[in-house]
């Protein structure tokens, strides 16, 4: 689409400056520092979150009776009485964005298949699919599960589902059958939306068999919709649909264009109506099916995406022509973050495929050339992507016109100073050639699937220090706590959040007594410890506080560094997986008697994940056995979770109660002394520790110097 620029485009003003100007004009509030603004936002919760509601002109046919009815974690009740809908907030931009000449979604895949979805077409397809889902009996609260890649059809399916009050959940097609079933079985979906396959790294992967296995193993599924993603011809599409029968064609159910489609409106829903189910795995049991609400997700996404990430509305004069790209798969919460660009009328630019080319022809310029072709203004990716570009010696001057890029976003794992310095130097060279001054702005963020948001991130007007994130985000009462539960500055501690945030989970599916929810985030520190609602005294009645599972250092200037996970969860470039899922895959092999995996992250170093296995007597860890173990992980989970190395050991260290000692071994391998991380008296087999101590000393490449 061709946009019509306004007659006069004002000089760019950072979004956080626009918000502070609004606070001064509309609330009479001025702050002499960001720290003062942040402290107001984390103590005067009602005033801050009401300001976000008003600033973004959130709408409801009924008024809310309070902002935060009860300040307690878990169980905070936000905006009671208000009605919202994620899809309603998205589609309110359809008319003005289209009138200005902007597309809703621009996409391409590895094969060069390009799609540009206009706002009216997005609205029509959403309505068409929503009406089809309603005709299949989908009612508010019913679950719709998707097995789809990062393509416009997935955004359409999501918006259609939630527009009628259905609850969305998606898994990426690179995940194996068992891993998907571990998730979808828990939520009992009524409808399954699948695809015939995906292309990744130059290869096509057929997924029709997996879709069939999913349907057979999910008795709750009453209806299947198939998107023919691989089909190049009508005949191939018909063949795929016949193979998956009985099913409906995604193309057919989004093709309707009649009066009912034109008249369709998303339902108004309670503020805390379930929006989607995402999965963040712990170290034991099945993945945690986390439920977030419409209202909390919308209001937090707007505050994060616009005020902190500085992603503006494409048709607003100050951010005219904004094009937002954050490379992701549908298996990562950054897919949700990319989609949230639509909440503010921003054009989303998405890519489906391997950002590094194929194994035989690696090419780390792929995304950069894609961004240049489409005039991306905000370019985001996982920290590992930028590290790979550095290692590959990518020269951005050979990637096309990147002059529109004004911000680089990164998350998923700690970004090293070297990788950030590489990107800064590359853009400094590009800008010098174009006679433009100033360094590129890095928006380094850290948050989580758990609350569909970020705790720490960017600020357009604060100094940038390579390897650090600029600030704690507004509304996020984040602190770093030592082992005694006391806040510390300029020291590494546990990342905690001392106040509720609207997007924190409503509940976990099947967790009727909230035991898993509390055990995941709220059981490390006693209720009331560190909780000061409204900035007052300690309040034991206010419940516990959120412990996130990251190691955090807050510097005296307010900038922050994340040093990796403080728990045993696997975090491979931002995609998290519970260790129990990997054990289920590995220990299903008759040759494997026991196993333990630890994912080691340390600032400035690439994540390193060793797998330790105890093999049946007489079995050796040769090349064939190594391949068999890797194949089991690849098939059951995903190639993303293959270990860096596999080691045969005599025993896996366990507690007296039989629990694997993942976290103590992780700390040992990161360089902490054994006597500080392991209590031998609590172990069932302390004699096995000598091997791990020697490994940490002699063979572990992750141990800090």
């Amino acid at each position: 689409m061709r946009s019509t620029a306004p007659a006069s485009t004002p000089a760019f003003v950072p979004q956080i400056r626009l918000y502070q100007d609004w606070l001064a004009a509309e609330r009479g509030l001025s702050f002499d520092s960001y720290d003062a603004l942040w402290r107001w936002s984390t103590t005067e919760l009602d005033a801050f979150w009401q300001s976000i509601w008003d600033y973004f002109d959130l709408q409801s046919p009924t008024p809310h009776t309070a902002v935060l009815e009860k300040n307690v974690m878990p169980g905070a009740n936000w905006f009671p009485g208000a009605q919202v809908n994620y899809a309603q907030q998205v589609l309110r931009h359809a008319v003005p964005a289209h009138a200005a000449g902007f597309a809703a979604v621009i996409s391409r895949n590895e094969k060069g298949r390009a799609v540009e979805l206009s706002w009216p077409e997005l609205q029509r397809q959403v309505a068409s699919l929503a009406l089809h889902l309603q005709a299949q009996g989908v009612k508010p609260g019913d679950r719709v599960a998707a097995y789809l890649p990062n393509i416009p059809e997935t955004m359409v399916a999501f918006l259609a589902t939630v527009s009628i009050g259905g609850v969305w959940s998606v898994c990426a097609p690179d995940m194996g059958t068992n891993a998907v079933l571990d998730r979808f079985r828990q939520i009992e979906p009524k409808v399954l939306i699948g695809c015939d396959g995906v292309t990744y790294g130059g290869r096509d992967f057929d997924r029709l068999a997996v879709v069939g296995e999913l349907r057979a193993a999910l008795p709750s599924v009453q209806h299947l919709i198939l998107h023919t993603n691989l089909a190049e011809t009508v005949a191939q599409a018909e063949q795929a649909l016949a193979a998956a029968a009985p099913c409906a064609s995604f193309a057919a159910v989004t093709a309707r264009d009649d009066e009912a489609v034109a008249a369709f409106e998303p339902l108004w829903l309670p503020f805390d109506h379930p929006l989607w189910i995402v999965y963040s795995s712990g170290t034991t049991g099945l993945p945690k099916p986390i439920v977030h609400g419409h209202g909390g997700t919308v209001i937090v996404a707007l505050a994060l995406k616009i005020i902190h990430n500085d992603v503006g509305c494409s048709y607003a004069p100050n951010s005219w022509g904004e094009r937002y790209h954050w490379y992701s798969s549908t298996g990562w919460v950054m897919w949700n973050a990319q989609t949230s660009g639509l909440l503010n009328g921003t054009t989303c630019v998405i890519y489906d495929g391997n950002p590094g080319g194929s194994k035989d022809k690696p090419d780390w310029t792929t995304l950069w050339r894609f961004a240049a072709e489409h005039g991306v203004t905000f370019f985001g990716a996982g920290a590992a992507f930028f590290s790979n570009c550095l290692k590959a010696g990518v020269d951005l001057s050979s990637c096309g016109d990147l002059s529109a890029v004004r911000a680089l976003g990164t998350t998923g794992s700690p970004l090293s100073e070297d990788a950030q310095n590489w990107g800064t130097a590359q853009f400094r060279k590009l800008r010098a050639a174009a006679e433009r001054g100033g360094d590129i702005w890095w928006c380094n963020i850290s948050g989580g699937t758990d609350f569909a948001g970020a705790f720490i991130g960017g600020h357009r007007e604060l100094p940038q220090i390579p390897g650090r994130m600029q600030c704690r985000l507004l509304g996020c009462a984040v602190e770093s706590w030592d082992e005694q539960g006391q806040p510390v500055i300029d020291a590494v501690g546990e990342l905690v959040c001392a106040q509720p945030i609207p997007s924190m989970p409503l509940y976990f599916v099947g967790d009727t007594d909230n035991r898993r929810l509390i055990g995941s985030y709220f059981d490390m520190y006693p209720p009331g410890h560190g909780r000061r609602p409204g900035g007052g005294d300690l309040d034991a009645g206010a419940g516990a506080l959120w412990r996130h599972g990251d190691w955090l250092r807050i510097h005296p200037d307010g900038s922050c560094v994340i040093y990796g996970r403080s728990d045993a969860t696997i975090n491979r470039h931002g995609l998290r997986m519970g260790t129990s899922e990997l054990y289920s895959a590995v220990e299903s092999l008759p040759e494997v008697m026991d196993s333990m995996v630890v994912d080691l992250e340390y600032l400035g170093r690439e994540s390193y994940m060793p797998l330790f296995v105890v093999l049946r007597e007489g079995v050796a860890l040769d090349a064939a056995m190594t391949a068999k173990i890797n194949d089991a992980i690849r098939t059951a989970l995903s190639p993303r979770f293959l270990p860096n190395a596999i080691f045969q050991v005599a025993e896996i260290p366990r507690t007296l109660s039989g629990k694997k000692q993942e976290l103590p071994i992780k700390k040992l391998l990161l360089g902490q002394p054994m006597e500080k991380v392991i209590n031998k008296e609590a172990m069932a087999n302390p004699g096995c520790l000598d091997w791990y101590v020697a490994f940490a000393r002699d063979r572990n490449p992750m141990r800090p110097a």
Side-chain angles (χ1 to χ4, degrees):
M1 299 180 68
R2 297 186 64 182
S3 61
T4 303
S8 176
T9 302
F12 171 78
V13 180
Q15 299 292 335
I16 197 164
R17 174 54 47 200
L18 294 176
Y19 170 65
Q20 290 185 78
D21 291 346
W22 181 90
L23 281 178
E26 300 295 328
R27 298 290 194 269
L29 293 171
S30 298
F31 302 92
D32 59 7
S33 67
Y34 176 74
D35 184 68
L37 173 63
W38 175 79
R39 292 190 182 281
W40 167 77
S41 76
T42 55
T43 53
E44 303 299 329
L45 299 187
D46 283 15
F48 170 68
W49 288 109
Q50 182 65 56
S51 80
I52 297 298
W53 179 285
D54 293 340
Y55 183 67
F56 291 109
D57 189 29
L58 293 181
Q59 297 172 0
S60 169
T62 54
H64 50 270
T65 57
V67 175
L68 179 55
E69 186 176 57
K70 187 177 182 183
N71 185 334
V72 63
M73 289 192 287
N77 187 19
W78 293 93
F79 294 95
Q83 298 180 71
V84 297
N85 189 303
Y86 191 109
Q88 185 83 248
Q89 173 65 24
V90 167
L91 296 177
R92 66 187 285 191
H93 298 288
V95 171
H98 183 66
F102 295 113
V105 184
I106 296 170
S107 81
R108 201 178 74 204
N109 68 5
E110 279 192 15
K111 293 182 175 179
R113 182 187 299 169
V115 175
E116 184 169 304
L117 198 62
S118 71
W119 281 93
E121 182 63 7
L122 172 68
Q123 188 169 34
R124 188 199 62 73
Q125 289 190 26
V126 166
S128 179
L129 180 53
L131 292 171
H132 175 81
L133 292 173
Q134 284 183 325
Q136 300 304 315
V138 175
K139 297 178 175 60
D142 287 341
R143 273 79 62 200
V144 174
Y147 188 61
L148 294 169
N150 183 31
I151 53 179
E153 289 83 357
T154 310
M155 290 181 165
V156 169
F158 160 63
L159 292 172
T161 297
V162 304
S163 71
I164 59 173
V167 186
W168 170 261
S169 192
V170 63
C171 283
D174 67 348
M175 295 177 67
T177 306
N178 293 341
V180 177
L181 286 175
D182 281 347
R183 288 154 174 77
F184 287 170
R185 274 194 179 119
Q186 297 185 74
I187 70 171
E188 298 180 313
K190 179 177 281 189
V191 173
L192 175 65
I193 307 176
C195 64
D196 60 343
V198 291
T199 302
Y200 192 85
R203 294 176 56 199
D204 287 345
F205 295 88
D206 188 288
R207 285 294 181 259
L208 283 172
V210 177
V211 171
E213 291 169 356
L214 295 178
R215 175 162 59 181
L218 295 169
S220 61
V221 171
Q222 300 175 13
H223 184 58
L224 171 66
I225 301 172
L226 186 75
H227 170 57
T228 52
N229 187 55
L230 285 184
E232 299 287 346
T233 66
V234 173
Q236 289 174 343
E238 291 176 347
Q239 184 178 7
L241 291 166
C247 67
S249 160
F250 189 94
V253 299
T254 56
R256 184 173 171 180
D257 189 6
D258 55 19
E259 291 183 0
V261 167
F264 176 81
E265 290 286 343
L267 300 177
W268 288 108
L269 302 164
F271 187 87
D272 61 355
H273 184 84
L275 170 70
W276 58 40
I277 301 168
V278 292
Y279 306 90
S280 185
S281 299
T283 56
T284 59
L286 292 170
K288 298 175 297 193
I290 303 170
V291 182
H292 297 130
H294 275 254
T297 303
V298 167
I299 198 169
V300 168
L302 290 170
L304 166 64
K305 191 71 68 261
I306 300 161
I307 294 175
H308 279 287
N309 290 9
D310 206 43
V311 177
C313 171
S314 294
Y315 61 88
N318 183 66
S319 47
W320 189 264
E322 187 85 272
R323 288 191 167 189
Y324 171 52
H325 165 77
W326 200 303
Y327 175 76
S328 180
S329 81
T330 50
W332 189 20
V333 75
M334 293 313 298
W335 177 84
N336 308 66
Q338 170 78 81
T339 302
S340 72
L342 297 173
L343 289 169
N344 194 44
T346 306
T347 299
C348 292
V349 183
I350 62 176
Y351 182 84
D352 183 44
N354 189 341
S358 60
K359 283 187 177 180
D360 56 332
K361 294 182 179 179
D363 180 6
W364 289 99
T365 69
T366 299
L367 284 186
W368 296 111
R369 290 184 286 106
F370 172 66
E373 179 184 346
H374 293 290
V376 165
T377 55
F378 187 106
F379 181 98
F385 170 80
F386 295 101
S387 295
N388 283 321
C389 290
L390 164 64
K391 292 174 186 175
V394 169
D395 180 0
L396 295 187
S397 65
S398 67
C399 297
D401 183 4
L402 290 165
S403 61
V405 177
R406 57 179 182 77
L408 299 176
T410 177
T411 189
S413 57
L415 180 70
S416 69
E417 288 186 41
D418 288 344
Q420 185 163 342
N421 286 332
W422 168 84
T424 298
Q426 289 284 321
F427 273 91
R428 191 175 290 163
K429 185 168 62 173
L430 294 178
R431 291 181 166 206
E435 298 183 350
R436 293 174 58 197
D439 279 341
I440 193 73
W441 177 60
W442 284 87
C443 181
N444 303 340
I445 67 173
S446 181
T449 302
D450 314 74
F451 66 105
F455 281 136
I456 304 165
H459 185 309
R460 264 285 181 178
E461 298 182 325
L462 290 179
Q464 295 191 94
I465 301 175
R468 297 190 195 177
M469 288 164 280
Q470 290 172 291
C471 63
R472 292 171 281 182
L473 301 192
L474 295 176
C476 301
V478 169
E479 296 178 349
S480 175
W481 280 20
D482 62 18
E483 293 180 356
Q484 287 71 47
Q486 298 300 318
V488 294
I489 297 293
D490 213 16
V492 177
E494 288 278 354
L495 190 164
V496 302
C497 187
Q499 296 279 30
I501 296 171
S503 63
M504 284 178 175
L506 301 176
Y507 54 87
F508 292 173
V509 175
D511 187 26
T512 53
D513 57 1
N514 268 355
R515 184 173 300 177
R516 288 194 77 193
L517 177 67
I518 292 169
S520 296
Y521 311 112
F522 299 108
D523 68 348
M524 187 166 184
Y525 302 104
H529 186 88
R531 290 278 281 118
R532 295 179 174 84
D537 296 331
L538 290 172
D539 184 355
L545 51 69
W546 179 286
R547 177 250 182 181
H548 193 57
D550 279 339
W551 278 310
L552 166 69
R553 181 194 297 268
I554 303 171
H555 289 270
D557 64 357
S559 62
C560 299
V561 178
I562 294 287
Y563 288 86
R565 296 294 295 173
S566 63
D567 62 16
T569 302
I570 301 170
N571 178 16
R572 301 298 273 173
H573 312 311
L575 301 175
R576 293 182 181 177
M577 181 76 71
T579 53
S580 61
E581 294 188 81
L582 190 142
Y583 299 146
S584 178
V586 171
E587 293 171 18
S588 66
L589 299 174
E591 298 92 340
V592 179
M593 305 302 294
D594 203 358
S595 63
M596 182 179 68
V597 67
V598 290
D599 186 22
L600 305 174
E601 292 179 285
Y602 198 80
L603 188 68
R605 305 184 185 203
E606 191 170 345
S607 170
Y608 176 76
M609 189 173 81
L611 171 65
F612 305 102
V613 294
V614 178
L615 300 180
R616 189 177 296 278
E617 187 175 354
V619 177
L621 186 65
D622 54 16
M625 191 67 231
T626 298
K628 191 171 183 179
I629 292 172
N630 281 328
D631 285 344
I633 297 170
R634 184 183 291 107
T635 301
L637 303 180
S638 165
R640 298 172 189 268
F641 295 99
L642 293 177
N644 291 90
I646 304 175
F647 300 94
Q648 185 172 0
V649 296
E651 291 183 89
I652 298 300
R654 290 183 177 271
T655 64
L656 291 171
S657 61
K659 180 175 170 47
K660 298 180 185 187
Q661 294 273 56
E662 297 159 317
L663 189 54
I665 294 300
K666 175 176 179 174
K667 291 180 178 180
L668 177 70
L669 299 185
L670 285 172
Q672 298 186 37
M674 185 182 70
E675 59 272 14
K676 287 192 175 184
V677 298
I678 298 178
N679 178 6
K680 289 186 176 182
E681 295 181 358
M683 288 189 62
N685 53 350
C688 74
L689 290 176
D690 289 345
W691 186 93
Y692 294 92
V693 171
F695 176 84
R697 182 187 64 238
D698 302 331
R699 302 173 64 185
N700 174 24
M702 281 296 295
R703 181 173 179 173

